[in-house]
């Protein structure tokens, strides 16, 4: 993890900003994946058709 | 001097601990399993807690919007006769078509709400989480069902003649229909709309396939059909609850 952080470009403040942006994007993608999985396998909302 | 062809020695495959080390493989497998476990743990937490928290936060806001909509929605009275032909059908032999008996009763009708509009509140006194009510929005898309139960477009609104269909989550997003299987024949379901409170009595509960769209087909009288996933934690089947209108502003006119 530390190695990955240090490999980010720019000085430390820029690295921090990039890391935060990556985490936010990853959480958004994860949220979409979880929603798709939930709707497909767990509970689609109960509609028919 | 003899011609001696010298060949370079074959490259030696690295046989050190970094390549086929069993410990490395086990370690990699372990981290993979930990990753998969965290992913699945996150999935369960997301579905059971985050979606519910999201739905509850939104449903309070939607309930306020629905209450405001009750005051804004256009409600009109129309003549109603169950045996009369639809007023839009032209009959050249009898141009003066009457709707129903000689003194036609009137039916309260509200305008169709736009997609996503919270327009009703469903309450089921015999189900704990629906005692205080859950907001019903127009539409049954994933987005519509995130925060409320959803009324299927192209079916009548609650309190109107025909078969009004409302769908809701059973496991996630607040799971408004989590305990729908506890309903028994005769249990009451109240749906509040701009017209008033319509009370339905449960008739029967059945389990069907998700593709059985016949459950949403029109019915004589005034019916409410609730649909949700079945069994819990699976979208393999659908639980359907049929309930008939027994009380409300339009009950007497429709049921005669």
């Amino acid at each position: 993890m530390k190695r990955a952080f240090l490999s980010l470009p720019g000085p430390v403040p820029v690295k921090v900003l990039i890391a935060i942006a990556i985490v936010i994007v990853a959480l958004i993608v994860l949220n979409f994946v979880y929603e798709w999985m939930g709707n497909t396998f767990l509970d689609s909302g109960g509609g028919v058709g | 001097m003899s011609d001696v062809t010298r060949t370079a020695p074959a490259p030696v495959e690295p046989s050190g601990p970094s390549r086929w080390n069993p410990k490395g493989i086990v370690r990699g497998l372990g981290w993979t399993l930990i990753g998969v476990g965290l992913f699945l743990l996150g999935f369960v937490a997301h579905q059971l807690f985050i979606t519910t928290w999201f739905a509850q936060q939104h449903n309070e806001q939607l309930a306020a919007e629905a209450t405001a909509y009750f005051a804004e929605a256009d409600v009109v009275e129309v003549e109603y006769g169950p045996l009369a032909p639809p007023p839009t059908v032209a009959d050249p032999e009898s141009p003066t078509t009457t709707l129903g008996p000689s003194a036609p009763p009137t039916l309260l009708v509200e305008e169709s709400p736009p997609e996503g509009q919270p327009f009703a509140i469903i309450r089921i006194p015999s189900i704990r989480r629906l005692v205080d009510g859950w907001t019903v929005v127009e539409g049954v898309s994933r987005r519509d069902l995130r925060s409320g139960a959803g009324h299927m477009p192209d079916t009548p609104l609650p309190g109107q003649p025909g078969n009004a269909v409302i769908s809701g989550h059973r496991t996630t997003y607040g799971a408004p229909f989590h305990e729908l299987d506890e309903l028994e024949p005769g249990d009451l379901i109240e749906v509040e709309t701009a017209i008033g409170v319509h009370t339905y009595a449960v008739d029967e509960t059945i389990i069907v396939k998700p593709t059985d769209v016949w459950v949403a087909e029109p019915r004589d009288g005034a019916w409410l059909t609730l649909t949700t996933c079945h069994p819990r934690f699976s979208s393999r089947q659908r639980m359907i609850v049929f309930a008939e209108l027994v009380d409300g502003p339009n009950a007497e006119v429709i049921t005669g």
Side-chain angles (χ1 to χ4, degrees):
Chain A
M1 196 73 87
K2 187 178 178 182
R3 198 183 305 162
F5 176 77
L6 292 174
S7 68
L8 293 173
V12 171
V14 176
K15 288 181 196 292
V16 170
L17 288 177
I18 293 173
I20 290 172
I22 290 172
V23 168
I24 289 172
V25 169
L27 286 176
I28 290 171
V29 171
L30 199 61
N31 185 57
F32 276 108
V33 171
Y34 282 163
E35 280 197 8
W36 176 83
M37 286 173 62
N39 274 295
T40 306
F41 303 112
L42 205 58
D43 184 350
S44 64
V48 289
Chain B
M1 295 283 292
S2 61
D3 284 341
V4 177
T5 306
R6 293 193 172 186
T7 56
V12 178
E13 288 287 327
S15 60
S18 61
R19 187 108 191 220
W20 296 109
N21 185 352
K23 282 185 182 174
I25 294 172
V26 170
R27 188 179 299 142
L29 191 64
W31 279 113
T32 304
L33 290 175
I34 288 172
V36 171
L38 287 174
F39 178 80
L40 293 177
L41 206 61
F43 174 63
V44 172
H46 178 271
Q47 292 294 299
L48 295 186
F49 303 116
I50 295 177
T51 62
T52 296
W53 176 82
F54 175 87
Q56 284 172 344
Q57 297 295 314
H58 261 234
N59 206 267
E60 289 174 12
Q61 181 190 337
L62 291 183
E65 288 180 29
T67 306
Y69 180 78
F70 293 162
E72 296 169 5
D74 287 333
V75 177
V76 295
E77 285 189 38
V78 297
E79 292 180 356
Y80 177 72
L83 301 177
T88 51
V89 176
D91 186 356
E93 294 182 1
S94 60
T96 53
T97 306
T98 56
L99 298 179
S102 55
T106 55
L107 187 74
L108 287 172
V109 176
E110 64 180 300
E111 61 177 341
S112 290
E115 170 95 18
Q117 171 70 46
F119 74 97
I121 296 174
I122 184 169
R123 296 186 187 89
I124 304 180
S126 57
I127 292 183
R128 185 176 47 85
R129 73 177 64 196
L130 288 177
V131 169
D132 295 330
W134 199 263
T135 310
V136 181
V137 302
E138 178 68 3
V140 289
S141 68
R142 286 183 182 180
R143 183 173 182 169
D144 297 326
L145 293 172
R146 275 182 193 163
S147 39
H151 169 255
M152 184 185 284
D154 302 327
T155 66
L157 294 175
Q160 301 302 316
N163 186 15
V165 180
I166 294 177
S167 303
H169 280 284
R170 193 158 188 216
T171 306
T172 59
Y173 289 100
F177 290 170
H178 187 71
E179 289 122 1
L180 214 61
D181 57 324
E182 295 177 5
L183 284 177
E184 294 180 0
D187 283 350
L188 299 180
I189 301 171
E190 297 172 357
V191 184
E192 183 178 1
T193 68
I195 295 171
V197 178
H198 314 281
T199 305
Y200 295 83
V202 173
D203 182 60
E204 65 171 336
T205 301
I206 60 171
I207 307 299
V208 300
K209 293 179 198 167
T211 52
D212 282 342
V213 292
W214 63 265
V215 301
E217 287 178 357
R219 291 177 143 220
D220 290 334
W223 289 81
L224 176 69
T225 298
L226 304 181
T227 74
T228 193
C229 288
H230 181 81
R232 286 178 184 140
F233 304 101
S234 169
S235 57
R236 201 173 65 243
Q237 295 173 306
R238 296 288 180 271
M239 172 176 284
I240 312 293
V241 174
F242 294 114
E244 188 171 17
L245 186 68
V246 292
D247 195 17
N250 288 333
E252 198 173 326
V253 177
I254 297 171
T255 60

